[in-house]
Amino acid sequence: MGLVCRYDVYAGGDARSVVVVGIRTPLTAIIGSASAVLDEKVSANKETREQLAQDIVDSSLRLNQVVENLLDMSRLNSGALRLKKEWVDLEDVLSGLPGKLGRLVARHKLSVVNYLGSCYAQIDEKLFEHVLLNLLSNAVRYAPEGTEITLRLEMENRRILLRILDQGPGIPQDNLKNIFEAFYRVPGSATGGVGLGLAIVKALIEAHGGRVYAQNRKDRSGAEFVVELPYESPPADLEDGR
């Protein structure tokens, strides 16, 4: 089935401005770092040269994510993005995350806590991983370097819960209800985003029959994003094959 998601990507000058800034910011960083690499005086120092190269990689990854989010929103609007659901062990998805995230969480401590062990859900694995990437990118953007980002998998009232917790400043109370809207950005947000990541997360999770919401942590400062998926008993052959 196609996903039903109605966002006018090109409506309003504000949206266009956000998209332009979201693309221009990492692109400007790439051009600046690449130009510096070509300057013999600047790049003569090995550490400086390596840092410039890493800046190019990081900004390129950021630009790629912005473009992917724009393409995904376009597919959502047109109905061209379709779920390919199958039984997937969430334990495998979580255990494979550190290797796939690469540089994204290199400056943070990523902790994966799985209270369920092997747990099957009917999901589109590729799109679900994209959901996790957007949520983790959001956590990385707002949490100070060196702090811990936690992914926690648990069950409550026959709902699978995946919690993403960071140790950043949290979300202003007045902004909590709006953060999943397309092109909405919390005032004072770091430059470089276009405000589509969380809107895409919401659309994809709802297409899976679940829901996603945000709140501030009660145990310390930081934000907590909660993804809920309906629990269904997997086929017997999957259970037996554990």
Side-chain angles (χ1 to χ4, degrees), residues 2 15 17 26 32 40-41 49 51 53-54 64 68 91 97 121 135 144 164 166 172 175 190 200 210 215 217:
S17 298
E40 293 183 1
K41 293 181 179 179
R49 188 168 61 251
Q51 182 59 56
Q54 191 57 64
N64 181 69
E68 285 293 325
E91 182 178 37
L97 273 180
L135 289 173
I164 296 90
D166 65 49
N175 303 117
I200 290 170
Q215 60 191 14
R217 296 180 64 168

Side-chain angles (χ1 to χ4, degrees), residues 124-189:
D124 183 311
E125 185 172 3
K126 182 178 179 180
L127 293 180
F128 191 72
E129 286 185 346
H130 188 40
V131 164
L132 297 182
L133 175 63
N134 276 343
L135 289 173
L136 286 166
S137 296
N138 188 74
V140 165
R141 193 171 302 120
Y142 293 100
E145 290 186 15
T147 58
E148 185 173 43
I149 296 173
T150 303
L151 277 75
R152 195 164 73 216
L153 183 65
E154 55 193 34
M155 182 98 63
E156 184 178 293
N157 298 324
R158 293 187 65 80
R159 304 280 288 181
I160 299 170
L161 303 183
L162 180 64
R163 302 180 186 273
I164 296 90
L165 305 100
D166 65 49
Q167 296 179 352
I171 305 166
Q173 199 66 34
D174 293 341
N175 303 117
L176 274 171
K177 64 180 183 299
N178 302 118
I179 59 174
F180 290 101
E181 296 176 5
F183 298 109
Y184 182 83
R185 306 189 74 228
V186 174
S189 297

